[in-house]
Amino acid sequence: MIRPYERRVQYYETDKMGIVHHSNYIRWFEEARTDYLEQLGAGYEEMESQGVISPVLEVSCCYKTMARFPEQFQITVKMLQFNGIRMKLGYEVKDVKSGEIRCTGESAHCFLDENHRPVSLKKSYPGWYERLTKNGAL
Amino acid sequence: MIRPYERRVQYYETDKMGIVHHSNYIRWFEEARTDYLEQLGAGYEEMESQGVISPVLEVSCCYKTMARFPEQFQITVKMLQFNGIRMKLGYEVKDVKSGEIRCTGESAHCFLDENHRPVSLKKSYPGWYERLTKNGAL
Amino acid sequence: MIRPYERRVQYYETDKMGIVHHSNYIRWFEEARTDYLEQLGAGYEEMESQGVISPVLEVSCCYKTMARFPEQFQITVKMLQFNGIRMKLGYEVKDVKSGEIRCTGESAHCFLDENHRPVSLKKSYPGWYERLTKNGAL
Amino acid sequence: MIRPYERRVQYYETDKMGIVHHSNYIRWFEEARTDYLEQLGAGYEEMESQGVISPVLEVSCCYKTMARFPEQFQITVKMLQFNGIRMKLGYEVKDVKSGEIRCTGESAHCFLDENHRPVSLKKSYPGWYERLTKNGAL
Protein backbone atom coordinates (compact mmCIF):
# COMPACT_ATOMS: atom_id res chain seq x y z
CA MET A 1 0.00 0.00 0.00
CA ILE A 2 1.62 3.24 -1.21
CA ARG A 3 1.18 6.43 0.85
CA PRO A 4 0.56 9.62 -1.19
CA TYR A 5 3.24 12.30 -0.95
CA GLU A 6 2.34 15.36 1.07
CA ARG A 7 3.77 18.75 2.01
CA ARG A 8 2.98 22.47 2.02
CA VAL A 9 3.43 25.12 -0.64
CA GLN A 10 6.49 27.28 0.05
CA TYR A 11 6.61 31.06 -0.33
CA TYR A 12 9.48 30.91 -2.84
CA GLU A 13 7.34 28.69 -5.08
CA THR A 14 4.86 31.51 -5.75
CA ASP A 15 5.14 34.11 -8.51
CA LYS A 16 3.79 37.63 -9.03
CA MET A 17 0.38 36.24 -10.02
CA GLY A 18 0.15 35.23 -6.34
CA ILE A 19 0.00 31.53 -7.20
CA VAL A 20 2.48 28.66 -7.46
CA HIS A 21 4.62 29.08 -10.59
CA HIS A 22 3.71 26.37 -13.10
CA SER A 23 7.29 25.05 -13.37
CA ASN A 24 7.25 23.96 -9.74
CA TYR A 25 4.69 21.22 -10.34
CA ILE A 26 7.31 19.45 -12.47
CA ARG A 27 9.58 19.51 -9.41
CA TRP A 28 6.73 18.31 -7.20
CA PHE A 29 6.24 15.35 -9.54
CA GLU A 30 9.90 14.49 -8.95
CA GLU A 31 9.50 14.74 -5.18
CA ALA A 32 6.49 12.43 -5.31
CA ARG A 33 8.24 10.03 -7.73
CA THR A 34 11.32 9.82 -5.48
CA ASP A 35 9.09 8.95 -2.54
CA TYR A 36 7.01 6.48 -4.56
CA LEU A 37 10.00 4.55 -5.96
CA GLU A 38 11.56 4.39 -2.52
CA GLN A 39 8.35 3.00 -1.06
CA LEU A 40 8.40 0.36 -3.83
CA GLY A 41 11.98 -0.59 -2.89
CA ALA A 42 13.66 0.82 -6.02
CA GLY A 43 14.68 4.32 -4.94
CA TYR A 44 16.87 6.70 -6.96
CA GLU A 45 19.59 6.73 -4.32
CA GLU A 46 19.93 2.94 -4.43
CA MET A 47 19.83 2.92 -8.25
CA GLU A 48 22.47 5.64 -8.58
CA SER A 49 24.70 3.90 -6.02
CA GLN A 50 24.65 0.90 -8.43
CA GLY A 51 25.47 3.15 -11.40
CA VAL A 52 21.96 3.32 -12.87
CA ILE A 53 20.36 6.68 -13.69
CA SER A 54 16.80 7.24 -14.86
CA PRO A 55 16.51 10.41 -16.95
CA VAL A 56 13.19 11.98 -17.88
CA LEU A 57 12.20 11.43 -21.51
CA GLU A 58 8.90 13.30 -21.46
CA VAL A 59 6.87 15.29 -19.02
CA SER A 60 3.46 16.91 -19.25
CA CYS A 61 1.21 18.80 -16.90
CA CYS A 62 -2.40 19.91 -17.16
CA TYR A 63 -3.23 22.78 -14.80
CA LYS A 64 -6.77 22.77 -13.34
CA THR A 65 -6.85 25.18 -10.40
CA MET A 66 -4.29 27.46 -8.76
CA ALA A 67 -2.27 26.36 -5.73
CA ARG A 68 -1.45 29.06 -3.20
CA PHE A 69 0.90 29.59 -0.27
CA PRO A 70 0.76 27.94 2.30
CA GLU A 71 -1.73 25.22 1.43
CA GLN A 72 -1.04 21.54 2.12
CA PHE A 73 -1.06 19.45 -1.07
CA GLN A 74 -1.08 15.73 -1.70
CA ILE A 75 0.29 13.88 -4.73
CA THR A 76 -0.86 10.44 -5.79
CA VAL A 77 1.48 8.56 -8.14
CA LYS A 78 0.46 5.72 -10.43
CA MET A 79 2.54 3.38 -12.55
CA LEU A 80 1.07 3.69 -16.04
CA GLN A 81 3.59 1.61 -18.00
CA PHE A 82 6.67 -0.43 -17.10
CA ASN A 83 8.54 -3.05 -19.05
CA GLY A 84 11.97 -2.86 -17.41
CA ILE A 85 13.28 -0.55 -20.15
CA ARG A 86 10.81 2.31 -20.02
CA MET A 87 8.56 3.52 -17.22
CA LYS A 88 5.63 5.93 -17.35
CA LEU A 89 4.12 7.46 -14.23
CA GLY A 90 0.95 9.48 -13.67
CA TYR A 91 0.45 12.19 -11.04
CA GLU A 92 -2.51 13.90 -9.44
CA VAL A 93 -1.95 16.92 -7.20
CA LYS A 94 -4.77 17.98 -4.92
CA ASP A 95 -5.34 20.52 -2.19
CA VAL A 96 -5.78 18.55 1.05
CA LYS A 97 -8.28 20.94 2.62
CA SER A 98 -10.74 21.40 -0.24
CA GLY A 99 -9.98 18.19 -2.15
CA GLU A 100 -9.72 20.29 -5.35
CA ILE A 101 -7.48 18.87 -8.06
CA ARG A 102 -4.67 21.34 -8.77
CA CYS A 103 -3.17 19.50 -11.74
CA THR A 104 -2.54 16.12 -13.32
CA GLY A 105 0.54 15.04 -15.22
CA GLU A 106 2.73 12.28 -16.57
CA SER A 107 6.43 11.53 -16.90
CA ALA A 108 8.27 8.93 -18.99
CA HIS A 109 11.70 7.55 -18.06
CA CYS A 110 14.34 5.12 -19.26
CA PHE A 111 17.24 3.52 -17.41
CA LEU A 112 20.90 4.13 -18.34
CA ASP A 113 24.22 2.79 -17.07
CA GLU A 114 27.25 4.93 -16.22
CA ASN A 115 28.18 5.20 -19.91
CA HIS A 116 24.66 6.37 -20.73
CA ARG A 117 23.78 3.09 -22.46
CA PRO A 118 20.23 1.72 -22.01
CA VAL A 119 19.79 -0.85 -19.24
CA SER A 120 17.04 -3.47 -19.01
CA LEU A 121 16.09 -3.78 -15.35
CA LYS A 122 14.46 -7.14 -16.13
CA LYS A 123 17.78 -8.56 -17.30
CA SER A 124 20.33 -6.69 -15.19
CA TYR A 125 18.46 -5.84 -11.99
CA PRO A 126 15.69 -8.44 -11.60
CA GLY A 127 15.12 -7.48 -7.95
CA TRP A 128 14.11 -3.92 -8.85
CA TYR A 129 12.17 -5.20 -11.85
CA GLU A 130 10.13 -7.53 -9.68
CA ARG A 131 9.41 -4.89 -7.06
CA LEU A 132 8.35 -2.29 -9.63
CA THR A 133 6.17 -4.86 -11.41
CA LYS A 134 4.61 -6.41 -8.36
CA ASN A 135 3.90 -3.27 -6.41
CA GLY A 136 3.38 -0.73 -9.14
CA ALA A 137 -0.38 -0.44 -9.64
CA LEU A 138 -0.31 -1.50 -13.31
CA MET B 1 10.81 38.66 -38.32
CA ILE B 2 11.16 37.11 -34.85
CA ARG B 3 14.65 36.58 -33.37
CA PRO B 4 15.13 33.28 -31.50
CA TYR B 5 15.86 33.58 -27.77
CA GLU B 6 19.42 32.81 -26.73
CA ARG B 7 21.51 32.50 -23.58
CA ARG B 8 23.90 30.17 -21.76
CA VAL B 9 23.22 27.33 -19.33
CA GLN B 10 23.85 28.41 -15.74
CA TYR B 11 25.64 26.28 -13.13
CA TYR B 12 22.68 26.34 -10.75
CA GLU B 13 20.52 24.81 -13.49
CA THR B 14 22.46 21.53 -13.42
CA ASP B 15 21.77 18.56 -11.16
CA LYS B 16 23.84 15.67 -9.80
CA MET B 17 23.55 13.82 -13.14
CA GLY B 18 25.81 16.62 -14.44
CA ILE B 19 23.13 17.86 -16.85
CA VAL B 20 20.45 20.55 -16.83
CA HIS B 21 17.58 19.51 -14.55
CA HIS B 22 14.51 18.73 -16.67
CA SER B 23 12.29 21.22 -14.81
CA ASN B 24 14.40 24.14 -16.03
CA TYR B 25 13.33 23.71 -19.66
CA ILE B 26 9.81 24.70 -18.56
CA ARG B 27 11.33 27.93 -17.23
CA TRP B 28 13.32 28.39 -20.42
CA PHE B 29 10.08 28.11 -22.41
CA GLU B 30 8.74 30.97 -20.32
CA GLU B 31 11.84 33.08 -20.96
CA ALA B 32 11.51 32.49 -24.69
CA ARG B 33 7.74 33.12 -24.61
CA THR B 34 8.22 36.42 -22.77
CA ASP B 35 10.72 37.53 -25.38
CA TYR B 36 8.56 36.31 -28.28
CA LEU B 37 5.37 38.06 -27.11
CA GLU B 38 7.29 41.25 -26.52
CA GLN B 39 8.73 41.12 -30.01
CA LEU B 40 5.17 40.69 -31.31
CA GLY B 41 4.06 43.77 -29.38
CA ALA B 42 1.92 41.98 -26.78
CA GLY B 43 4.33 41.45 -23.89
CA TYR B 44 3.38 40.15 -20.44
CA GLU B 45 4.39 43.39 -18.75
CA GLU B 46 2.07 45.43 -20.94
CA MET B 47 -0.76 42.89 -20.51
CA GLU B 48 -0.42 42.79 -16.74
CA SER B 49 -0.28 46.58 -16.54
CA GLN B 50 -3.73 46.50 -18.21
CA GLY B 51 -4.99 43.89 -15.75
CA VAL B 52 -4.75 40.87 -18.04
CA ILE B 53 -2.89 37.73 -16.96
CA SER B 54 -2.18 34.70 -19.09
CA PRO B 55 -1.87 31.55 -16.97
CA VAL B 56 -0.50 28.28 -18.30
CA LEU B 57 -3.18 25.64 -18.94
CA GLU B 58 -0.92 22.86 -20.19
CA VAL B 59 2.75 22.31 -20.72
CA SER B 60 4.69 19.41 -22.20
CA CYS B 61 8.32 18.72 -22.95
CA CYS B 62 10.03 15.96 -24.90
CA TYR B 63 13.70 15.58 -23.96
CA LYS B 64 16.03 14.54 -26.81
CA THR B 65 19.62 15.18 -25.69
CA MET B 66 21.22 16.53 -22.51
CA ALA B 67 22.13 20.19 -22.11
CA ARG B 68 25.25 20.92 -20.07
CA PHE B 69 26.90 23.87 -18.37
CA PRO B 70 27.96 26.33 -19.88
CA GLU B 71 26.65 25.74 -23.40
CA GLN B 72 24.86 28.45 -25.38
CA PHE B 73 21.33 27.44 -26.33
CA GLN B 74 18.76 28.92 -28.68
CA ILE B 75 14.97 28.64 -28.46
CA THR B 76 12.66 29.06 -31.42
CA VAL B 77 9.01 29.80 -30.55
CA LYS B 78 6.07 29.19 -32.87
CA MET B 79 2.44 30.19 -32.57
CA LEU B 80 0.53 26.93 -33.01
CA GLN B 81 -3.00 28.13 -32.23
CA PHE B 82 -4.56 31.48 -31.36
CA ASN B 83 -8.17 32.61 -31.40
CA GLY B 84 -8.05 35.49 -28.93
CA ILE B 85 -9.27 33.25 -26.10
CA ARG B 86 -6.67 30.51 -26.10
CA MET B 87 -3.09 30.44 -27.36
CA LYS B 88 -0.82 27.48 -27.98
CA LEU B 89 2.92 27.90 -28.51
CA GLY B 90 5.58 25.43 -29.63
CA TYR B 91 9.25 25.49 -28.60
CA GLU B 92 12.46 23.99 -29.91
CA VAL B 93 15.63 24.23 -27.82
CA LYS B 94 18.93 23.60 -29.54
CA ASP B 95 22.61 23.76 -28.70
CA VAL B 96 24.06 26.62 -30.72
CA LYS B 97 27.48 25.03 -31.24
CA SER B 98 26.46 21.56 -32.40
CA GLY B 99 22.98 22.38 -33.64
CA GLU B 100 21.68 19.36 -31.68
CA ILE B 101 18.05 19.57 -30.58
CA ARG B 102 17.90 19.44 -26.77
CA CYS B 103 14.12 19.28 -26.47
CA THR B 104 10.82 20.32 -27.97
CA GLY B 105 7.70 21.36 -26.13
CA GLU B 106 4.37 23.11 -26.11
CA SER B 107 2.38 25.35 -23.79
CA ALA B 108 -1.29 26.36 -23.83
CA HIS B 109 -2.60 29.60 -22.29
CA CYS B 110 -5.78 31.54 -21.73
CA PHE B 111 -6.34 35.19 -20.84
CA LEU B 112 -7.99 36.31 -17.58
CA ASP B 113 -8.98 39.67 -16.14
CA GLU B 114 -8.21 40.82 -12.60
CA ASN B 115 -11.15 38.82 -11.24
CA HIS B 116 -9.87 35.72 -12.98
CA ARG B 117 -12.68 35.77 -15.56
CA PRO B 118 -11.86 34.78 -19.17
CA VAL B 119 -11.06 37.64 -21.53
CA SER B 120 -11.38 37.59 -25.32
CA LEU B 121 -8.49 39.61 -26.72
CA LYS B 122 -10.37 39.90 -30.02
CA LYS B 123 -13.22 41.71 -28.31
CA SER B 124 -11.52 43.55 -25.47
CA TYR B 125 -7.99 44.17 -26.74
CA PRO B 126 -8.16 44.20 -30.56
CA GLY B 127 -4.68 45.76 -30.83
CA TRP B 128 -3.01 42.80 -29.17
CA TYR B 129 -5.27 40.41 -31.05
CA GLU B 130 -4.23 41.86 -34.36
CA ARG B 131 -0.54 41.83 -33.55
CA LEU B 132 -0.63 38.24 -32.31
CA THR B 133 -2.62 37.16 -35.35
CA LYS B 134 -0.66 39.06 -37.95
CA ASN B 135 2.82 38.35 -36.69
CA GLY B 136 2.42 34.98 -35.04
CA ALA B 137 3.57 32.39 -37.59
CA LEU B 138 0.21 30.59 -37.75
CA MET C 1 8.49 24.91 22.84
CA ILE C 2 9.40 25.29 19.13
CA ARG C 3 9.88 22.17 16.99
CA PRO C 4 12.82 22.31 14.54
CA TYR C 5 11.89 22.19 10.84
CA GLU C 6 12.70 18.94 9.05
CA ARG C 7 12.57 17.43 5.58
CA ARG C 8 14.69 15.64 2.99
CA VAL C 9 17.00 16.96 0.29
CA GLN C 10 15.34 16.85 -3.14
CA TYR C 11 17.07 15.72 -6.33
CA TYR C 12 16.39 19.03 -8.09
CA GLU C 13 18.24 20.84 -5.30
CA THR C 14 21.57 19.23 -6.27
CA ASP C 15 24.03 20.59 -8.83
CA LYS C 16 26.76 19.06 -11.00
CA MET C 17 29.15 18.97 -8.01
CA GLY C 18 26.81 16.26 -6.69
CA ILE C 19 25.83 18.37 -3.67
CA VAL C 20 23.03 20.76 -2.76
CA HIS C 21 23.44 24.04 -4.64
CA HIS C 22 24.39 26.79 -2.16
CA SER C 23 21.45 29.03 -3.14
CA ASN C 24 18.95 26.48 -1.86
CA TYR C 25 19.95 26.96 1.76
CA ILE C 26 18.56 30.51 1.52
CA ARG C 27 15.23 28.94 0.50
CA TRP C 28 15.50 26.40 3.31
CA PHE C 29 15.94 29.29 5.77
CA GLU C 30 12.64 30.68 4.46
CA GLU C 31 10.91 27.32 4.87
CA ALA C 32 12.12 27.07 8.45
CA ARG C 33 11.25 30.73 9.16
CA THR C 34 7.71 30.26 7.83
CA ASP C 35 7.25 27.27 10.10
CA TYR C 36 8.83 29.02 13.09
CA LEU C 37 6.70 32.18 12.82
CA GLU C 38 3.57 30.08 12.42
CA GLN C 39 4.45 28.10 15.55
CA LEU C 40 4.85 31.43 17.37
CA GLY C 41 1.41 32.54 16.21
CA ALA C 42 2.57 35.25 13.78
CA GLY C 43 2.72 33.41 10.46
CA TYR C 44 3.31 35.04 7.07
CA GLU C 45 -0.11 34.02 5.78
CA GLU C 46 -1.86 35.75 8.66
CA MET C 47 0.36 38.83 8.34
CA GLU C 48 -0.19 39.14 4.60
CA SER C 49 -3.93 38.68 5.01
CA GLN C 50 -3.78 41.80 7.23
CA GLY C 51 -1.74 43.69 4.64
CA VAL C 52 1.64 43.34 6.33
CA ILE C 53 4.64 42.00 4.42
CA SER C 54 8.05 41.24 5.86
CA PRO C 55 10.78 41.59 3.22
CA VAL C 56 14.32 40.34 3.74
CA LEU C 57 16.86 43.11 4.38
CA GLU C 58 19.94 40.95 4.71
CA VAL C 59 20.83 37.31 4.49
CA SER C 60 24.07 35.44 5.09
CA CYS C 61 25.13 31.81 5.05
CA CYS C 62 28.30 30.08 6.18
CA TYR C 63 28.74 26.67 4.54
CA LYS C 64 30.43 24.00 6.70
CA THR C 65 29.83 20.59 5.08
CA MET C 66 28.04 19.44 1.94
CA ALA C 67 24.43 18.25 2.01
CA ARG C 68 23.56 15.46 -0.42
CA PHE C 69 20.45 13.84 -1.89
CA PRO C 70 18.38 12.33 -0.21
CA GLU C 71 19.51 13.08 3.34
CA GLN C 72 17.09 14.24 6.04
CA PHE C 73 18.02 17.66 7.42
CA GLN C 74 16.84 19.65 10.42
CA ILE C 75 16.81 23.41 10.84
CA THR C 76 16.78 25.16 14.20
CA VAL C 77 15.67 28.80 14.15
CA LYS C 78 16.49 31.37 16.83
CA MET C 79 15.21 34.90 17.35
CA LEU C 80 18.37 37.01 17.58
CA GLN C 81 16.81 40.50 17.66
CA PHE C 82 13.27 41.85 17.66
CA ASN C 83 11.95 45.27 18.54
CA GLY C 84 8.68 45.31 16.59
CA ILE C 85 10.28 47.18 13.70
CA ARG C 86 13.15 44.89 12.78
CA MET C 87 13.67 41.17 13.33
CA LYS C 88 16.84 39.13 13.03
CA LEU C 89 16.76 35.32 12.96
CA GLY C 90 19.56 32.74 13.16
CA TYR C 91 19.55 29.31 11.48
CA GLU C 92 21.47 26.08 11.93
CA VAL C 93 21.07 23.31 9.37
CA LYS C 94 22.21 19.83 10.34
CA ASP C 95 22.14 16.35 8.88
CA VAL C 96 19.79 14.31 11.05
CA LYS C 97 21.69 11.01 10.68
CA SER C 98 25.24 12.15 11.42
CA GLY C 99 24.43 15.29 13.39
CA GLU C 100 26.94 17.18 11.22
CA ILE C 101 26.30 20.92 10.83
CA ARG C 102 25.75 21.71 7.14
CA CYS C 103 25.57 25.48 7.50
CA THR C 104 24.63 28.37 9.73
CA GLY C 105 23.06 31.64 8.68
CA GLU C 106 21.11 34.75 9.55
CA SER C 107 18.39 36.88 8.04
CA ALA C 108 17.15 40.38 8.90
CA HIS C 109 13.62 41.61 8.19
CA CYS C 110 11.41 44.64 8.53
CA PHE C 111 7.63 44.99 8.39
CA LEU C 112 5.83 47.04 5.72
CA ASP C 113 2.21 47.93 5.06
CA GLU C 114 0.48 47.68 1.68
CA ASN C 115 2.02 50.98 0.57
CA HIS C 116 5.47 49.70 1.52
CA ARG C 117 5.68 52.04 4.52
CA PRO C 118 7.37 50.71 7.70
CA VAL C 119 5.04 49.28 10.33
CA SER C 120 5.74 48.96 14.05
CA LEU C 121 4.20 45.69 15.22
CA LYS C 122 4.39 46.97 18.80
CA LYS C 123 2.11 49.88 17.96
CA SER C 124 -0.10 48.50 15.20
CA TYR C 125 -0.26 44.76 15.90
CA PRO C 126 0.40 44.30 19.63
CA GLY C 127 -0.87 40.70 19.53
CA TRP C 128 1.85 39.60 17.14
CA TYR C 129 4.39 41.74 18.96
CA GLU C 130 3.63 40.04 22.24
CA ARG C 131 3.75 36.55 20.78
CA LEU C 132 7.06 37.19 18.98
CA THR C 133 8.52 38.74 22.13
CA LYS C 134 7.25 36.20 24.59
CA ASN C 135 7.96 33.06 22.63
CA GLY C 136 10.96 34.08 20.56
CA ALA C 137 14.02 32.80 22.41
CA LEU C 138 15.60 36.25 22.85
CA MET D 1 38.80 45.58 -18.83
CA ILE D 2 35.95 43.51 -17.40
CA ARG D 3 32.42 43.97 -18.78
CA PRO D 4 29.62 43.93 -16.17
CA TYR D 5 27.13 41.07 -16.45
CA GLU D 6 23.68 42.00 -17.72
CA ARG D 7 20.29 40.44 -18.32
CA ARG D 8 16.58 40.86 -17.58
CA VAL D 9 14.50 39.71 -14.64
CA GLN D 10 12.47 36.61 -15.50
CA TYR D 11 8.83 36.07 -14.52
CA TYR D 12 9.61 32.84 -12.63
CA GLU D 13 12.05 34.79 -10.45
CA THR D 14 9.24 36.84 -8.88
CA ASP D 15 7.20 35.86 -5.82
CA LYS D 16 3.76 36.76 -4.49
CA MET D 17 5.08 40.09 -3.16
CA GLY D 18 5.39 41.01 -6.86
CA ILE D 19 9.17 41.38 -6.61
CA VAL D 20 12.20 39.17 -7.27
CA HIS D 21 12.49 36.50 -4.56
CA HIS D 22 15.53 37.26 -2.41
CA SER D 23 17.11 33.82 -3.00
CA ASN D 24 17.53 34.56 -6.70
CA TYR D 25 20.15 37.24 -6.12
CA ILE D 26 22.46 34.49 -4.82
CA ARG D 27 21.99 32.75 -8.19
CA TRP D 28 22.58 36.03 -10.02
CA PHE D 29 25.88 36.41 -8.14
CA GLU D 30 26.86 32.99 -9.52
CA GLU D 31 25.90 34.00 -13.06
CA ALA D 32 28.00 37.16 -12.78
CA ARG D 33 30.89 35.26 -11.14
CA THR D 34 30.91 32.64 -13.91
CA ASP D 35 31.08 35.39 -16.51
CA TYR D 36 33.73 37.33 -14.59
CA LEU D 37 36.08 34.34 -14.09
CA GLU D 38 35.72 33.41 -17.73
CA GLN D 39 36.61 36.93 -18.80
CA LEU D 40 39.70 36.67 -16.56
CA GLY D 41 40.70 33.41 -18.27
CA ALA D 42 40.00 31.10 -15.31
CA GLY D 43 36.43 29.93 -15.97
CA TYR D 44 34.60 27.24 -14.00
CA GLU D 45 34.29 25.00 -17.05
CA GLU D 46 38.05 25.01 -17.63
CA MET D 47 38.72 24.48 -13.89
CA GLU D 48 36.30 21.58 -13.61
CA SER D 49 37.69 19.97 -16.78
CA GLN D 50 41.05 19.92 -14.91
CA GLY D 51 39.46 18.40 -11.82
CA VAL D 52 39.30 21.57 -9.73
CA ILE D 53 36.06 22.70 -8.10
CA SER D 54 35.49 25.95 -6.23
CA PRO D 55 32.73 25.58 -3.62
CA VAL D 56 31.14 28.52 -1.87
CA LEU D 57 32.28 28.95 1.75
CA GLU D 58 30.21 32.01 2.60
CA VAL D 59 27.68 34.21 0.94
CA SER D 60 25.90 37.37 2.03
CA CYS D 61 23.48 39.79 0.48
CA CYS D 62 22.22 43.19 1.57
CA TYR D 63 18.92 44.13 -0.10
CA LYS D 64 18.44 47.84 -0.88
CA THR D 65 15.53 48.18 -3.33
CA MET D 66 13.18 45.71 -5.00
CA ALA D 67 13.85 44.34 -8.48
CA ARG D 68 10.78 43.69 -10.63
CA PHE D 69 9.89 41.82 -13.82
CA PRO D 70 11.02 42.55 -16.56
CA GLU D 71 13.70 45.11 -15.70
CA GLN D 72 17.23 44.90 -17.10
CA PHE D 73 19.84 44.60 -14.37
CA GLN D 74 23.61 44.87 -14.37
CA ILE D 75 26.06 43.21 -11.98
CA THR D 76 29.56 44.48 -11.31
CA VAL D 77 31.97 41.96 -9.76
CA LYS D 78 35.10 42.86 -7.83
CA MET D 79 37.92 40.70 -6.54
CA LEU D 80 38.16 41.53 -2.84
CA GLN D 81 40.74 38.93 -1.75
CA PHE D 82 42.76 36.24 -3.53
CA ASN D 83 45.84 34.34 -2.40
CA GLY D 84 45.57 31.22 -4.57
CA ILE D 85 43.87 29.28 -1.76
CA ARG D 86 40.87 31.46 -0.98
CA MET D 87 39.03 34.00 -3.08
CA LYS D 88 36.50 36.63 -2.03
CA LEU D 89 34.33 38.47 -4.54
CA GLY D 90 32.03 41.48 -4.15
CA TYR D 91 28.87 42.14 -6.17
CA GLU D 92 26.72 45.16 -6.91
CA VAL D 93 23.39 44.69 -8.67
CA LYS D 94 21.75 47.74 -10.20
CA ASP D 95 18.74 48.51 -12.35
CA VAL D 96 20.05 49.67 -15.71
CA LYS D 97 17.24 52.15 -16.40
CA SER D 98 17.17 54.04 -13.10
CA GLY D 99 20.69 53.28 -11.91
CA GLU D 100 19.23 52.31 -8.52
CA ILE D 101 21.26 49.79 -6.52
CA ARG D 102 19.16 46.67 -5.94
CA CYS D 103 21.59 44.88 -3.63
CA THR D 104 25.22 44.32 -2.76
CA GLY D 105 26.84 41.10 -1.66
CA GLU D 106 29.92 38.98 -1.20
CA SER D 107 30.96 35.36 -1.66
CA ALA D 108 34.01 33.47 -0.41
CA HIS D 109 35.43 30.39 -2.16
CA CYS D 110 38.20 27.82 -1.87
CA PHE D 111 39.63 25.44 -4.47
CA LEU D 112 39.44 21.64 -4.12
CA ASP D 113 40.73 18.72 -6.16
CA GLU D 114 38.67 15.68 -7.15
CA ASN D 115 39.15 14.13 -3.71
CA HIS D 116 37.91 17.33 -2.09
CA ARG D 117 41.39 18.23 -0.82
CA PRO D 118 42.44 21.92 -0.84
CA VAL D 119 44.42 23.06 -3.87
CA SER D 120 46.78 26.05 -4.04
CA LEU D 121 46.35 27.62 -7.46
CA LYS D 122 49.69 29.41 -6.98
CA LYS D 123 51.51 26.08 -6.67
CA SER D 124 49.45 23.77 -8.87
CA TYR D 125 47.92 26.06 -11.51
CA PRO D 126 50.24 29.08 -11.81
CA GLY D 127 48.59 30.16 -15.08
CA TRP D 128 45.19 30.65 -13.44
CA TYR D 129 46.86 32.18 -10.40
CA GLU D 130 48.62 34.77 -12.52
CA ARG D 131 45.51 35.67 -14.49
CA LEU D 132 43.37 36.04 -11.37
CA THR D 133 46.08 38.13 -9.68
CA LYS D 134 46.94 40.31 -12.63
CA ASN D 135 43.45 41.02 -13.87
CA GLY D 136 41.43 40.81 -10.70
CA ALA D 137 40.96 44.39 -9.47
CA LEU D 138 42.70 43.81 -6.12
Side-chain angles (χ1 to χ4, degrees), chain A residues 22-30 33 55-63 86-91 103-109, chain B residues 21-27 29 58-64 103-107:
Chain A
H22 65 281
S23 63
N24 289 315
Y25 296 88
I26 308 299
R27 298 185 169 188
W28 294 3
F29 291 171
E30 183 183 87
R33 180 167 67 246
V56 182
L57 300 175
E58 287 173 46
V59 76
S60 63
C61 187
C62 186
Y63 304 93
R86 284 183 64 137
M87 175 174 75
K88 195 173 206 168
L89 298 170
Y91 310 86
C103 72
T104 58
E106 291 185 9
S107 66
H109 307 260
Chain B
H21 190 269
H22 65 280
S23 63
N24 290 316
Y25 295 89
I26 308 300
R27 299 185 170 190
F29 291 170
E58 288 174 47
V59 75
S60 64
C61 188
C62 187
Y63 305 93
K64 311 287 192 186
C103 71
T104 58
E106 291 185 10
S107 65

Side-chain angles (χ1 to χ4, degrees), chain C residues 96-112:
Chain C
V96 168
K97 201 174 172 190
S98 68
E100 271 189 332
I101 306 299
R102 294 288 176 240
C103 71
T104 59
E106 290 184 10
S107 65
H109 307 260
C110 63
F111 304 93
L112 302 179

Side-chain angles (χ1 to χ4, degrees), chain C residues 42-76:
Chain C
Y44 277 129
E45 191 195 15
E46 195 186 333
M47 280 198 196
E48 295 199 354
S49 73
Q50 307 274 329
V52 176
I53 58 170
S54 180
V56 181
L57 300 174
E58 288 174 46
V59 76
S60 63
C61 187
C62 187
Y63 304 94
K64 311 286 192 186
T65 58
M66 293 159 171
R68 288 168 197 281
F69 170 82
E71 71 180 43
Q72 178 86 3
F73 63 85
Q74 189 180 82
I75 307 182
T76 312

Side-chain angles (χ1 to χ4, degrees), chain B residues 4-137:
Chain B
Y5 179 73
E6 223 179 286
R7 75 160 170 91
R8 301 183 77 174
V9 170
Q10 294 301 332
Y11 201 96
Y12 63 78
E13 296 179 315
T14 61
D15 66 20
K16 70 194 285 288
M17 262 187 230
I19 59 173
V20 169
H21 190 269
H22 65 280
S23 63
N24 290 316
Y25 295 89
I26 308 300
R27 299 185 170 190
W28 294 2
F29 291 170
E30 184 184 84
E31 295 187 34
R33 181 168 65 247
T34 303
D35 183 57
Y36 173 79
L37 293 175
E38 213 176 84
Q39 288 189 56
L40 291 185
Y44 277 131
E45 191 194 16
E46 195 187 331
M47 282 199 196
E48 296 199 354
S49 73
Q50 307 274 329
V52 176
I53 59 169
S54 180
V56 182
L57 300 174
E58 288 174 47
V59 75
S60 64
C61 188
C62 187
Y63 305 93
K64 311 287 192 186
T65 57
M66 295 159 171
R68 289 169 197 280
F69 170 81
E71 72 181 41
Q72 178 86 2
F73 63 84
Q74 188 181 83
I75 307 183
T76 312
V77 183
K78 276 201 183 126
M79 183 75 76
L80 300 178
Q81 284 174 25
F82 176 67
N83 61 5
I85 290 168
R86 283 182 65 137
M87 175 175 73
K88 196 173 206 169
L89 298 169
Y91 309 87
E92 189 184 73
V93 181
K94 73 175 180 194
D95 175 38
V96 169
K97 201 174 170 189
S98 68
E100 272 190 331
I101 306 299
R102 293 289 176 241
C103 71
T104 58
E106 291 185 10
S107 65
H109 307 259
C110 63
F111 304 93
L112 302 179
D113 68 15
E114 274 162 330
N115 302 311
H116 286 196
R117 276 178 309 219
V119 169
S120 163
L121 294 194
K122 190 172 187 174
K123 215 169 122 186
S124 308
Y125 300 91
W128 294 337
Y129 176 76
E130 204 184 333
R131 274 169 265 159
L132 289 172
T133 309
K134 195 188 280 172
N135 300 304

